[in-house]
Amino acid sequence: MEKIESLNLLHRAFSVFLFNSKYELLLQQRSGTKVTFPLVWTNTCCSHPLYRESELIEENALGVRNAAQRKLLDELGICAEDVPVDEFTPLGRILYKAPSDGKWGEHELDYLLFIVRDVSVNPNPDEVAEYKYVNREQLKELLRKADAGEEGLKLSPWFRLVVDNFLFKWWDHLEKGTLNEVIDMKTIHKLT
């Protein structure tokens, strides 16, 4: 976090929001061994594109979609065939900064990806402590508990920013089949 602040370091990231055919969102609780934000609940998968040709392709956010497919396998054991890169919808980008424990933190340009697929989940315990699907009402209850500090429940800062600014509106469009109406990959939303 010290280097992030003093040098204004920034890196690319992505956040996947995977819904099943009932439009329930797959959430994960990050493993307790994670360096940043251990044991917090977050969206389906969050990580960083690697510096490799397949993940640097900017056109239609293909590099980020390739990275998302790779990390869904790494974190949740979701096979690439179950999440084809062409099925991801890049919806937008956010810029945010968040300290984790004082020593570590994130400063990211985060690409937000939606996908609807029924998948088999086999989580990697080094990455994921728990997972569950939630509908809107269950997510709202999770938010209420996190806000009240109940059950020690915490949410990742990037997930909370997306929830507070976009998620429910985008979820509506997803269910109506009008998700293309809310795609905005030109704007970088600076959120705090």
Side-chain angles (χ1 to χ4, degrees):
M1 206 55 213
E2 184 179 309
K3 284 188 177 182
I4 288 173
E5 294 293 352
S6 64
L7 302 174
N8 201 30
L9 296 178
L10 174 69
H11 57 267
R12 289 187 316 149
F14 60 85
S15 292
V16 174
F17 294 77
L18 185 148
F19 297 82
N20 62 21
S21 58
K22 296 187 286 187
Y23 298 108
E24 296 169 320
L25 174 60
L26 178 60
L27 301 181
Q28 69 158 281
Q29 183 184 37
R30 293 166 60 88
S31 167
T33 63
K34 298 289 268 186
V35 172
T36 56
F37 305 100
L39 297 176
V40 303
W41 283 92
T42 193
N43 49 285
T44 310
C45 178
C46 342
S47 192
H48 310 96
L50 297 176
Y51 191 77
R52 60 167 66 154
E53 191 173 328
S54 65
E55 296 184 15
L56 292 172
I57 303 167
E58 291 185 30
E59 185 178 341
N60 298 319
L62 180 57
V64 173
R65 291 184 287 134
N66 286 332
Q69 185 186 59
R70 172 183 55 82
K71 284 305 288 183
L72 283 166
L73 177 61
D74 290 350
E75 291 188 6
L76 292 159
I78 299 172
C79 299
E81 302 81 47
D82 290 346
V83 284
V85 293
D86 292 343
E87 294 289 320
F88 289 97
T89 302
L91 286 169
R93 298 176 296 168
I94 63 170
L95 178 66
Y96 79 95
K97 188 187 304 183
S100 176
D101 62 359
K103 181 177 180 182
W104 299 99
E106 298 286 9
H107 186 203
E108 298 180 329
L109 177 59
D110 194 1
Y111 288 70
L112 308 175
L113 307 171
F114 268 35
I115 186 168
V116 178
R117 300 290 290 187
D118 289 319
V119 298
S120 296
V121 178
N122 183 19
N124 174 349
D126 292 332
E127 296 281 348
V128 177
E130 284 187 61
Y131 71 94
K132 62 181 166 184
Y133 282 95
V134 295
N135 61 31
R136 284 177 227 240
E137 293 311 309
Q138 291 165 326
L139 179 57
K140 288 176 183 174
E141 178 62 13
L142 200 69
L143 297 171
R144 186 198 65 73
K145 285 181 178 179
D147 289 346
E150 290 180 22
E151 302 171 18
L153 193 119
K154 293 183 180 173
L155 303 175
S156 72
W158 59 89
F159 179 54
R160 189 59 195 246
L161 287 169
V162 173
V163 168
D164 290 347
N165 289 277
F166 307 108
L167 182 61
F168 290 107
K169 177 178 89 171
W170 288 352
W171 203 332
D172 287 340
H173 281 278
L174 181 69
E175 288 192 39
K176 291 178 192 169
T178 57
L179 198 56
N180 287 342
E181 292 178 12
V182 294
I183 294 172
D184 178 6
M185 293 303 292
K186 292 185 179 173
T187 305
I188 297 174
H189 299 276
K190 295 178 183 174
L191 304 178
T192 55

